[in-house]
């Protein structure tokens, strides 16, 4: 469809007539020039510059909105997971407490190994890092059944892993030594602007702690 | 070539029609200045001016129209910015309600990660130890057992060399053992005992 621009412009009463067509042309040339300067170079330039800044701001805000939205969904999921595992979380907190709590570890250890017929002869604790403490342990008792001590260590309510062990049945008092590691997670202030570090693995918690309930 | 090009120019050409059959007279355009043959045609000029004027009118209307469109887009962007800010404020308030949950959840997530890592790095060895210490043939004494870097090593003493082979055979009854490495074997003449060190590798 061919657009009759002249008819369109005339119908919009945008018409200037002069006896001399050259004067008409000159008139419109001048108008076009000012039009270009006012709307094109001045108005549109500023408008587009402003639009560019606003688009950048909008993009930043949209990113922030997305982070917050994701965080909200994560928090809703975490809240739901925590409700599902409310009876398991205290066990996890005992396994990995927020404090050193070495006295709790020692009293439980002494009580349980004594029950198996062993007496702790030496307990040395040293901090490996902020989250880990190592303990060098020696026990008096039958060395040929030292696996019972290891079994006690691995089933304490505090998460304990055996990192090194050397049992000498000839002279257990001198040489037998078990090294273990226990863990803690310190209280750290949470930055609400950041997303959570992951998700709560409900299945893992149920599998690992449900038998203990 | 020039003949083909000239009619396309809107400036027009001085009318000098050559009728068919009439031979062109070389006397007519005898001037060496080629521009002499062009002149202004008022009708063609008027048509050009009319077209130029229409184009200018269109141009004059389009520029403000584009400007208005850009203003409109600006306004829409402003509105979207305002709306997004409101959403962010609402989300911030909603997240603040979960402040305690977030702190607790982060702690639990960290603990689970530590728990998994610790169990992966140091699997339980009590049952493995029990198997190695109890499944020994007669006359074999386990004098040492060592656990280091995930590997278990056993030092056995026996008066008969064959018992060492039986010991290794017994250990292979545990299906979780993938490899048994005989590290050393010696005979002490004073004690009359064979001593052997074996490393046990689990799957």
């Amino acid at each position: 469809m061919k657009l009759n621009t002249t008819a369109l412009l005339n119908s919009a009463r945008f018409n200037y007539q002069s006896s001399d067509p050259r004067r008409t042309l000159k008139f419109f040339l001048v108008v076009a020039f000012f039009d270009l300067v006012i709307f094109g170079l001045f108005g549109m330039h500023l408008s587009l510059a402003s639009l560019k800044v606003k688009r950048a701001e909008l993009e930043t805000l949209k990113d922030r909105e997305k982070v917050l939205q994701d965080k909200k969904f994560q928090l809703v999921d975490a809240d739901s997971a925590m409700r599902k595992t409310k009876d398991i979380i205290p066990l996890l907190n005992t396994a990995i407490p927020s404090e050193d709590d070495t006295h709790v570890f020692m009293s439980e250890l002494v009580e349980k190994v004594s029950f198996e017929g062993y007496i702790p002869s030496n307990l040395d604790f040293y901090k490996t890092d902020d989250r880990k403490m190592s303990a060098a342990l020696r026990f008096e008792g039958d060395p040929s059944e030292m696996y019972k001590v290891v079994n006690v260590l691995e089933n304490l309510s505090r998460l304990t892993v055996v990192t090194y062990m050397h049992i000498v049945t000839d002279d257990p008092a001198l040489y037998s030594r078990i090294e273990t590691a226990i863990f803690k997670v310190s209280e750290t202030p949470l930055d609400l602007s950041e997303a959570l570090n992951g998700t709560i693995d409900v299945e893992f918690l149920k599998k690992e702690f449900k038998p203990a309930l | 070539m020039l003949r083909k090009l000239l009619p396309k120019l809107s400036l027009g050409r001085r009318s000098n029609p050559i009728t068919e059959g009439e031979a062109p007279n070389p006397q007519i355009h005898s001037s060496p200045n080629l521009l002499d043959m062009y002149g202004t045609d008022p009708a063609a000029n008027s048509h050009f001016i009319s077209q130029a004027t229409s184009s200018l009118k269109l141009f004059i209307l389009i520029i403000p129209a584009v400007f208005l469109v850009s203003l409109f887009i600006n306004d829409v962007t402003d509105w979207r910015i305002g709306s997004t800010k409101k959403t962010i404020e609402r989300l911030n308030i909603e997240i603040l309600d979960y402040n305690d949950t977030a702190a607790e959840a982060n702690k639990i997530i960290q603990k689970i990660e530590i728990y998994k890592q610790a169990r992966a790095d140091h699997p339980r060895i009590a049952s493995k130890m029990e198997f190695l210490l109890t499944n020994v043939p007669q006359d074999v004494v386990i004098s040492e057992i060592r656990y280091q870097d995930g590997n278990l090593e056993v030092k056995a003493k026996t008066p008969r060399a064959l018992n060492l082979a039986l010991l290794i055979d017994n250990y292979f009854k545990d299906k979780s053992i993938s490899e048994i490495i005989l590290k050393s074997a010696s005979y002490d003449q004073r004690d009359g005992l064979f001593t052997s060190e074996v490393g046990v590798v689990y799957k």
Side-chain angles (χ1 to χ4, degrees), chain B residues 173-187:
Chain B
K173 285 174 185 165
D174 183 352
K175 298 296 175 194
S176 64
I177 293 174
S178 67
E179 207 175 325
I180 292 175
I181 303 161
L182 185 60
K183 295 201 164 182
S184 71
S186 60
Y187 177 68

Side-chain angles (χ1 to χ4, degrees), chain A residues 5-6 8-10 12 14-17 21-22 24-25 28-29 31-33 35-36 39-40 42-44 46-48 50-51 54-55 57-58 60-62 64-69 71-72 75-76 78-79 82 89 92-93 95-98 131-132 143-147 150-152 154-155 159-170 183-188 190 192 195-202 204-205 208-209, chain B residues 40 45-46 48-85 87-92 94-131 133-134 141-153 155 157:
Chain A
T5 51
T6 312
L8 183 71
L9 294 170
N10 287 343
F14 187 62
N15 205 358
Y16 170 84
Q17 290 296 336
R22 291 184 178 198
T24 311
L25 182 65
F28 280 115
L29 265 173
V31 172
F33 173 73
D35 191 53
L36 183 68
F39 292 110
F42 185 71
M44 212 145 66
L46 288 180
S47 175
L48 290 177
S50 161
L51 189 62
K54 283 174 186 170
R55 280 201 172 274
E57 186 188 351
L58 182 64
T60 312
L61 288 170
K62 284 281 176 198
R64 172 110 183 93
E65 184 189 5
K66 190 177 179 308
V67 168
L68 289 172
Q69 199 80 49
K71 187 171 171 60
K72 187 192 158 193
L75 285 170
V76 171
D79 193 46
M82 282 165 68
I89 286 170
L92 178 68
N93 287 333
I96 305 175
S98 304
R131 293 179 169 182
K132 191 174 168 185
S144 64
E145 291 189 337
M146 199 60 92
Y147 58 85
V150 175
N151 191 40
V152 166
E154 289 181 339
N155 288 295
L159 173 64
T160 310
V161 292
V162 176
T163 54
Y164 173 82
M165 179 193 67
H166 188 196
I167 310 293
V168 183
T169 54
D170 300 341
F183 304 88
K184 69 163 187 171
V185 171
S186 304
E187 300 280 354
T188 47
L190 179 71
L192 276 177
L196 290 178
N197 297 327
T199 52
I200 296 175
D201 193 341
V202 178
F204 173 79
L205 285 176
E208 199 69 24
F209 290 98
Chain B
T40 50
N45 209 8
S46 165
F48 168 75
I49 288 172
S50 165
Q51 275 196 338
T53 309
S54 298
S55 302
L56 278 174
K57 285 178 181 177
L58 195 64
F59 177 79
I60 289 163
L61 282 180
I62 283 174
I63 293 287
V66 174
F67 173 63
L68 286 175
V69 169
S70 76
L71 279 183
F72 176 73
I73 295 172
N74 251 309
D75 274 356
V76 170
T77 311
D78 276 340
W79 177 80
R80 288 180 67 191
I81 286 173
S83 164
T84 310
K85 277 182 178 171
T87 311
I88 287 172
E89 272 176 32
R90 180 177 54 80
L91 284 170
N92 270 327
E94 285 176 8
I95 285 171
L96 274 177
D97 291 342
Y98 285 101
N99 198 2
D100 294 338
T101 307
E104 185 68 19
N106 244 355
K107 214 164 61 181
I108 290 168
I109 290 165
Q110 281 184 51
K111 285 180 180 181
I112 291 172
E113 287 307 311
I114 289 173
Y115 201 104
K116 283 181 179 175
Q117 192 65 45
R119 282 278 177 248
D121 292 345
H122 305 285
R124 295 171 191 269
I125 58 164
S127 58
K128 293 171 185 170
M129 259 184 83
E130 183 179 359
F131 182 85
L133 288 171
T134 54
V141 174
I142 302 293
S143 62
E144 282 182 43
I145 183 162
R146 185 194 298 265
Y147 173 73
Q148 193 170 14
D149 301 328
N151 297 316
L152 274 165
E153 281 177 26
K155 190 174 182 181
K157 288 182 179 174

